[in-house]
Amino acid sequence: MSSAWNASDVTPDGAAWLASAGTYPRSTLALWEERPDAPVVLPCGSVFDVVSAPAMFGRRMLDRLWDDGPGSGPVAEFRGRMLLFAAPGTAQRLPVLLEWEEWGTRDRDRDAPEARRTNAVPPLLCHGTGDAVTVPAPSERTTPADPAPSEGPARTGPAPTGTTAPARSATRSASRWLVAPDTRQPWLPGPEVLLWAAVRAARSAVRISIFPPADQDAKVYDVSRRR
C-alpha cells in the first residue's frame, strides 16, 4: 500500500486485515492501491462481525468503551450508522444477551410502560455469517461524499494496539473511519463487552444535556489507554 497515506488513515497492515475477510484479498488490495478512495463490500463472519448502531447511540457506545472500558476495535461511520467491528460470533450472541438482560426490543410493545427501559437501546443491526457490509475507503482524503450504498446493512487477554482516526475536516463525508485498523490482528470486542457498552450508553442517554459538545468530530480516542 502507498506510504503516502495520512497516518490517520488505515495502515497497510490494517488494509491487509480488512482484505483478508474477502474471497480475493489480493484483488481488494490491488483495487486500493489504484483507488485508495474506494469503499468496498466485505463479508462478515470469518474475520470479523459488525454491529451497526444509529450514529448518535453508536457514538455514546464508543465513548463508554474508551472512557470507562477496554477501548474498541476498528470503528467506521457509514451513512448515519456507526459500524463497530467485533469478534466473529458477536452478531449471533449479542441479540440473545440483550433479550436475556431485558434490553432487547423483539416482540415487545414499545408503548407499554414495561418497555420504556428497553426502548433506550435502539435496534442494533448485527452482521455475521452470511452478511456483508460496505467498509469505508482506506484513505479519507478523497472519499466521495455519497459512496456506493451498503449491502444491507471477549476480551480475554492484552489488546493489540489499534489506530485512532479523528475527523480532519469541517466537511464530513458519509463514509469514514473513526478508529482505523493498523494491525493484521486488531483486538475485537466480544458480545459481552458490546452489551456492557450498549447498556451504559442507554443509561447515559437520559442524562445528556440538550446542548451538544461544541465539536463532536473533535473526539480523539487515545489508543495508549486501552487496557
Side-chain angles (χ1 to χ4, degrees):
M1 308 298 288
S2 173
S3 60
W5 280 0
N6 189 296
S8 296
D9 297 321
V10 177
T11 66
D13 280 347
W17 172 74
L18 288 170
S20 69
T23 305
Y24 304 104
R26 292 183 180 179
S27 297
T28 301
L29 291 174
L31 170 65
W32 279 336
E33 280 281 4
E34 182 178 350
R35 293 184 55 202
D37 61 332
V40 300
V41 177
L42 293 175
C44 302
S46 59
V47 175
F48 53 75
D49 282 0
V50 171
V51 175
S52 172
M56 183 172 293
F57 188 80
R59 175 71 75 168
R60 292 172 188 159
M61 288 181 63
L62 194 57
D63 287 346
R64 296 287 70 74
L65 286 168
W66 283 100
D67 292 345
D68 306 315
S72 72
V75 180
E77 191 176 43
F78 189 89
R79 289 193 168 184
R81 306 284 300 185
M82 196 78 76
L83 308 181
L84 295 98
F85 285 67
T90 298
Q92 181 178 7
R93 183 66 177 154
L94 181 58
V96 176
L97 291 177
L98 285 168
E99 289 293 332
W100 180 264
E101 297 291 340
E102 299 183 352
W103 286 91
T105 57
R106 185 174 57 189
D107 300 329
R108 294 183 184 271
D109 180 0
R110 295 181 65 84
D111 295 325
E114 63 271 16
R116 292 176 182 174
R117 173 178 137 163
T118 64
N119 288 350
V121 177
L124 302 178
L125 306 181
C126 298
H127 303 291
T129 302
D131 299 326
V133 295
T134 300
V135 302
S139 175
E140 185 183 325
R141 287 173 296 172
T142 54
T143 299
D146 189 22
S150 173
E151 290 296 300
R155 176 143 187 210
T156 58
T161 58
T163 300
T164 61
R168 296 186 298 279
S169 66
T171 303
R172 294 181 56 185
S173 66
S175 172
R176 61 173 181 160
W177 289 100
L178 297 179
V179 181
D182 76 338
T183 174
R184 290 176 182 266
Q185 294 183 320
W187 177 74
L188 299 173
E192 294 82 3
V193 172
L194 292 182
L195 171 69
W196 175 89
V199 169
R200 277 154 183 75
R203 289 173 176 169
S204 69
V206 298
R207 300 192 297 268
I208 292 179
S209 169
I210 61 173
F211 300 103
D215 184 3
Q216 290 278 3
D217 290 344
K219 184 75 174 185
V220 175
Y221 301 100
D222 182 2
V223 177
S224 66
R225 294 182 61 249
R226 178 180 286 161
R227 300 170 185 168

